Amino acid sequence: MSRFRQRAVLLGCVLTALLAAAGLFVTDYGIEPALWLSALAVGFLAYLAAFDPWLQRKRAAGLATDAALDAAVRELATSLRAQWVDECRARGLDDGALAVHWSSEQGRPGRGDAVVGAFERHPRMVFLGEPGAGKSTIAMLLTLGLLDRHENGPVPLLLSLSTWDPDREDVRTWLTRRLYEEHPALRNTELYGSYAGELLVEQRRVLPVLDGLDRIAATKRADALGGINRAFPVSAQLVLTSRSDAFADAGVPVAGADVVTLHPLDHEEVAGYLRAHSDPVTAARWEPIFLHLRAEPDDRLAEALSTPLAVGLASVVYADGEPSELLDRARFPDRASIEAHLVDALVAGAFGDREAARMARASQVWPSDRARRWLVFLATELRSRGVTDLAWWELRRSVNSRWLAVLGALALGVVGGFGVGWLMAYAGTPKLAPTTGLVAGVAIAAAALHAARDRAPRPKLGAWRSLVLVSGVLGTAVGLVFGALYGLAAGLVVGLGLAVAVALRFALGSSAELSRPTSPKWTMARDRIAVWTGSLVPGVVFGAAAGLVFGPNRTGMVGLGLACGLMVGFALSALHLRWWWFTVARVWLALRGKLPWELTVFLEDARRLGVLRQAGASYQFRHVLVQERLAGTPVAVRSDA
């Protein structure tokens, strides 16, 4: 629903709850609770009908129109620009990146700071280079540059190819799935219509910037390039990055693309960058290195410092250290040993240092040994899945799927079943309490097991889009059951409360913030809000119903009803949300010492300290070389010079 309707529904839910409480507890005017609640229920459903987007069939039931897709593109461009501006600042690129040079197959030269102009002249490019040569940085700067100039054309979408399996899905299907994962507001059918993400890809309103062909399994790269050629023919805009050897081994050219190869950095550019990013004392410590680079331009140290990654790591590692140790041939006999040392020093220096934490504005000082152990676990898990994107909702894959489902279902079943049984034990039917609690717990656990299955979300169709219909039907059904057991007033309270809960779920589950930049914290916060809202409403409903049924003769029943309602509401709200399964996996892994208890805080601090970076709703290691080093994978370095 639109932002206006969303706020209107939220306001209506709050007012309904307040009016219901006033009618139940303010009895000075002799108001009959049943009459008051009946009128309030009818008025609430009428209010929902006035703001129900499904009733506007023309907009809610049809495919996305051109005008709706135009709006989606504009808002998506706004979101992506804010996202990449923030990430560019976090990576320190706002102060100026190293000048990367390239040459095309026809020998045409180019520079990283002129990449947007090069793309506008030839809007179909492939960037090749060795590990750390700056391919991902070039792709990000190109994306940001195109977003700065964006008006009405396709919006550039930068994604890592590591999450694509060509054997399982077509590249357009993968692109659509990733678009929805990063920007769930595209499922807002009132604003953008049905299947907005699919149509954006199908109509080429999205410019794919595909980073890291080499992150796809070697046996699948040829098929991947063939699929890319079929999905994006010569007339379509396209950007692809890859290691040179991986692209050559695939043996499939990208039709009509301008293939450019990034060159190693010139030693004078390296010296200029390190001087510019150091204070005078630190710059003086670099002078022996600069003299060595001039004297031996083909040495293993010159080769190691020929990539933006290595130079950036060296700048961070030796901000307060002594870089002349790199001249020790016995300790660093080759390029691989130098790169491994820089990665190890980056991780070791980022954690356990109070001053480094203060400068990076980290939340706390993490112990160096434990931080490295946690990062090794994450890097190993990413390597085992063959991906580089650390998405919080994918943490569940680090726990056996059956074990995760059993743990999550058991926890929710116990919470929900105990809540129902506890209330029944004091509700005048204590003999039914064990049976009722067991049945409720088993039902919730079974629903959780079903929800634990890994499946893609599907848009609601037909009457399931109707806010008033779904709220009214569910509220009436449950209200009739409680009314038959405990009287009309109790049934009205519970039925109205459930209708309010469903309406809140609709409003909070429908994001209208497509223009807001996505991030891991934001996507997780949306799930948490839905859980706690879904817990609070049943708590209030059960508390009011308990107070109404038992009255002043049973003290403590309102509090008991509130507590039981919170437990039942939590169990029912959490089982369908990614946040719950992430929490189960996180707690289990923390108990085993694999990850910290404050995982999200740790990941954000690791990003601020320069070990991780952010790519949309996911984290990544600063570079795949950092991930491979931590995972224990031998870092194979091949020069393309």
Side-chain angles (χ1 to χ4, degrees):
M1 57 180 66
S2 66
R3 189 175 293 108
F4 168 74
R5 293 180 192 276
Q6 188 180 44
R7 292 174 178 173
V9 171
L10 292 174
L11 178 61
C13 291
V14 173
L15 288 177
T16 300
L18 293 176
L19 291 174
L24 290 174
F25 298 108
V26 181
T27 59
D28 294 342
Y29 299 97
I31 300 175
E32 286 291 334
L35 179 61
W36 175 258
L37 292 171
S38 298
L40 190 59
V42 172
F44 179 65
L45 292 178
Y47 181 85
L48 292 183
F51 294 98
D52 189 354
W54 181 76
L55 296 179
Q56 297 183 358
R57 303 289 184 87
K58 184 177 180 180
R59 294 189 66 185
L63 292 175
T65 63
D66 288 341
L69 292 177
D70 289 340
V73 167
R74 288 194 301 271
E75 294 187 20
L76 186 60
T78 301
S79 168
L80 290 171
R81 185 184 181 281
Q83 169 190 319
W84 290 116
V85 164
D86 179 66
E87 184 59 20
C88 188
R89 186 181 300 113
R91 299 185 192 183
L93 298 178
D94 53 336
D95 293 335
L98 277 162
V100 178
H101 298 262
W102 72 72
S103 60
S104 67
E105 291 180 328
Q106 291 77 28
R108 293 192 300 271
R111 286 174 55 93
D113 53 5
V115 63
V116 176
F119 179 79
E120 289 177 339
R121 290 189 297 273
H122 202 124
R124 194 171 171 87
M125 299 186 72
V126 176
F127 293 95
L128 304 179
E130 60 180 304
K135 304 180 294 297
S136 296
T137 300
I138 285 289
M140 186 181 71
L141 294 177
L142 173 58
T143 299
L144 184 55
L146 293 175
L147 288 169
D148 285 337
R149 303 186 185 188
H150 183 268
E151 292 182 0
N152 299 316
V155 58
L157 184 66
L158 172 58
L159 294 173
S160 169
L161 281 170
S162 70
T163 60
W164 177 37
D165 184 350
D167 291 344
R168 297 182 59 186
E169 56 187 347
D170 175 78
V171 65
R172 286 182 294 189
T173 304
W174 167 79
L175 192 61
T176 302
R177 174 173 63 82
R178 296 289 288 119
L179 191 59
Y180 280 128
E181 287 178 348
E182 297 283 338
H183 305 278
L186 278 173
R187 298 189 185 278
N188 190 322
T189 55
E190 183 192 359
L191 291 180
Y192 311 117
S194 299
Y195 303 104
E198 288 84 351
L199 291 172
L200 286 176
V201 175
E202 185 68 26
Q203 297 181 12
R204 297 177 188 168
R205 293 173 180 257
V206 171
L207 193 171
V209 182
L210 309 178
D211 184 28
L213 175 71
D214 49 279
R215 297 168 194 170
I216 297 176
T219 57
K220 301 179 181 181
R221 289 173 193 153
D223 291 338
L225 286 172
I228 291 172
N229 280 326
R230 289 189 297 271
F232 308 107
V234 177
S235 59
Q237 296 181 335
L238 175 69
V239 178
L240 177 70
T241 75
S242 174
R243 284 171 53 171
S244 301
D245 54 350
F247 186 77
D249 292 343
V252 178
V254 177
D258 187 18
V259 180
V260 303
T261 301
L262 305 185
H263 296 312
L265 295 174
D266 180 79
H267 65 268
E268 292 297 338
E269 293 174 334
V270 172
Y273 177 85
L274 291 174
R275 288 192 184 104
H277 289 76
S278 304
D279 57 58
V281 175
T282 304
R285 289 199 294 261
W286 277 106
E287 288 303 325
I289 301 294
F290 300 153
L291 293 173
H292 180 84
L293 294 179
R294 294 191 189 98
E296 301 186 46
D298 298 324
D299 182 56
R300 87 278 186 275
L301 181 56
E303 186 181 5
L305 295 179
S306 65
T307 65
L309 171 66
V311 175
L313 291 177
S315 176
V316 173
V317 168
Y318 292 110
D320 297 310
E322 182 53 62
S324 60
E325 67 176 355
L326 297 175
L327 298 173
D328 187 346
R329 292 182 180 273
R331 184 179 174 189
F332 305 110
D334 53 25
R335 174 180 181 173
S337 62
I338 295 174
E339 290 181 332
H341 164 71
L342 292 176
V343 170
D344 292 341
L346 171 71
V347 176
F351 301 99
D353 188 331
R354 188 174 300 277
E355 182 62 22
R358 186 188 67 81
M359 293 295 294
R361 297 183 180 180
S363 65
Q364 57 186 284
V365 180
W366 300 91
S368 181
D369 55 340
R370 282 188 284 175
R372 183 179 179 86
R373 185 172 72 247
W374 298 330
L375 291 172
V376 166
F377 173 78
L378 292 172
T380 304
E381 286 296 311
L382 293 180
R383 182 190 62 182
S384 67
R385 299 202 301 268
V387 299
T388 57
D389 283 10
L390 180 58
W392 61 268
W393 60 88
E394 295 288 351
L395 185 68
R396 58 187 298 175
R397 300 186 185 277
S398 299
V399 180
N400 180 275
S401 59
R402 293 181 180 177
W403 187 233
L404 176 77
V406 170
L407 285 174
L410 182 62
L412 291 180
V414 169
V415 171
F418 181 77
V420 172
W422 189 19
L423 185 61
M424 292 297 292
Y426 290 90
T429 54
K431 292 182 179 180
L432 297 177
T435 303
T436 307
L438 180 62
V439 170
V442 170
I444 292 174
L449 286 174
H450 177 74
R453 295 186 304 171
D454 191 12
R455 61 188 188 281
R458 293 179 297 179
K460 293 183 176 67
L461 301 175
W464 287 107
R465 288 178 174 176
S466 175
L467 174 63
V468 63
L469 184 61
V470 176
S471 300
V473 169
L474 293 179
T476 301
V478 176
L480 288 174
V481 174
F482 273 81
L485 292 173
Y486 300 109
L488 177 60
L492 286 169
V493 168
V494 174
L496 181 59
L498 183 60
V500 170
V502 173
L504 280 173
R505 184 68 180 268
F506 261 78
L508 295 174
S510 176
S511 174
E513 298 290 340
L514 181 58
S515 59
R516 177 173 179 169
T518 188
S519 69
K521 294 171 63 177
W522 180 73
T523 52
M524 189 184 300
R526 291 185 67 247
D527 273 16
R528 282 201 302 262
I529 290 172
V531 169
W532 298 121
T533 303
S535 304
L536 181 61
V537 172
V540 174
V541 170
F542 275 53
L548 183 65
V549 172
F550 301 103
N553 297 325
R554 301 285 297 276
T555 58
M557 284 304 298
V558 174
L560 176 61
L562 175 62
C564 295
L566 286 172
M567 288 188 286
V568 174
F570 176 84
L572 295 176
S573 300
L575 59 89
H576 290 293
L577 294 174
R578 299 179 301 180
W579 173 84
W580 169 248
W581 302 105
F582 161 77
T583 301
V584 173
R586 177 180 65 82
V587 170
W588 177 249
L589 293 171
L591 285 171
R592 299 176 60 196
K594 301 289 187 181
L595 291 175
W597 285 99
E598 297 177 289
L599 177 59
T600 55
V601 178
F602 172 72
L603 294 177
E604 187 60 26
D605 281 352
R607 180 201 176 207
R608 293 174 180 173
L609 291 164
V611 178
L612 299 180
R613 64 189 184 189
Q614 185 176 300
S618 303
Y619 291 105
Q620 296 174 344
F621 281 92
R622 179 169 182 151
H623 191 273
V624 69
L625 290 179
V626 179
Q627 177 181 319
E628 291 176 352
R629 175 66 180 173
L630 288 168
T633 305
V635 181
V637 179
R638 174 175 173 176
S639 175
D640 299 300

